[in-house]
Amino acid sequence: MQHRNPPGLDFPAPTATAPLRLVVADDNPVIRAGLTALLSDREDTTVVAEAADGREAYEAALRHRPDVILLDVRMPGVDGISALPHLVRLAPVMMLTYSHETETVREALRLGAGGYLVHGEFTAEQLVRAVRDVREGRPHVTPGAAKALLTHLQASAPAHMDPELSTLLGVIPPQKLSHMQSDVGQSFRSRFQLSAREAEIMDLIASGMTNQQIAAACFISEKTVKNHINRIFAKLHSTSRSQAAAKWLGVG
């Protein structure tokens, strides 16, 4: 005899979270194979297709409709940057490459890449977390890419910083700001006694990044960023980001 649950006591069957479906595009077959093995040997991610250039990536994305596309920059035929505007219409794109030149990073993010990871700067777990964040619309960049952006932002600081900080630094010609910061770093900053991580975060603050952007760049939580900032403010005897940045850049 078949037994039924009493009315009102029917329990839904447990549902497992479907793994993120990924397309990996890289002209190096060793890298493709390595990423595919890494990301398919997990419960939360799987690679549904590989591609050797931008055209193959586009065709694979059309066919499989992945959750995220991992895309190299330099590939023969259609390269990653050329394919990017077409791919972002189909799925979020994470750049995954050895290239961290300033213009390349800027162009990729301008064209809609949701993140920019440089090989050698992340662990397997960080890669998976970054992929998930990009899928949810949260940007991720590794330190090499962040440094490239920082160089550009320092060179055009008044156009990118918050109004208070921009006004404060307005007396400095933009082209001299990066050079000044380098000089100051050798002769002035050491007195603040910031740790290497705190100095890195202070550079990102001075570039105008938000806590969320800093967390993504450094692969740490926003709470950890806030903790670092509290210690930085104490060491710089500052009560605001603009005040701390001014002291860090040697103009306050």
Side-chain angles (χ1 to χ4, degrees), residues 150-151 154-156 172-187 189 249:
L150 178 61
T151 299
Q154 286 172 341
S156 55
I172 306 174
Q175 64 272 20
K176 294 183 180 179
L177 182 59
S178 181
H179 177 68
M180 172 185 288
Q181 187 166 355
S182 176
D183 291 343
V184 169
Q186 299 301 320
S187 60
R189 293 183 184 178
L249 295 172

Side-chain angles (χ1 to χ4, degrees), residues 97-165:
T97 178
Y98 285 103
S99 306
H100 52 76
E101 293 84 357
T102 301
E103 288 304 318
T104 302
V105 177
R106 285 181 56 213
E107 186 67 2
L109 298 178
R110 186 185 72 80
L111 292 173
Y116 199 109
L117 271 59
V118 178
H119 285 297
E121 297 186 346
F122 54 86
T123 65
E125 288 303 318
Q126 288 171 336
L127 171 60
V128 172
R129 187 174 73 186
V131 168
R132 287 201 166 278
D133 281 350
V134 166
R135 175 69 178 85
E136 298 300 322
R138 295 186 293 270
H140 249 285
V141 292
T142 49
K147 183 177 180 181
L149 289 175
L150 178 61
T151 299
H152 167 71
L153 290 172
Q154 286 172 341
S156 55
H160 291 272
M161 290 183 179
D162 63 78
E164 182 183 357
L165 186 55

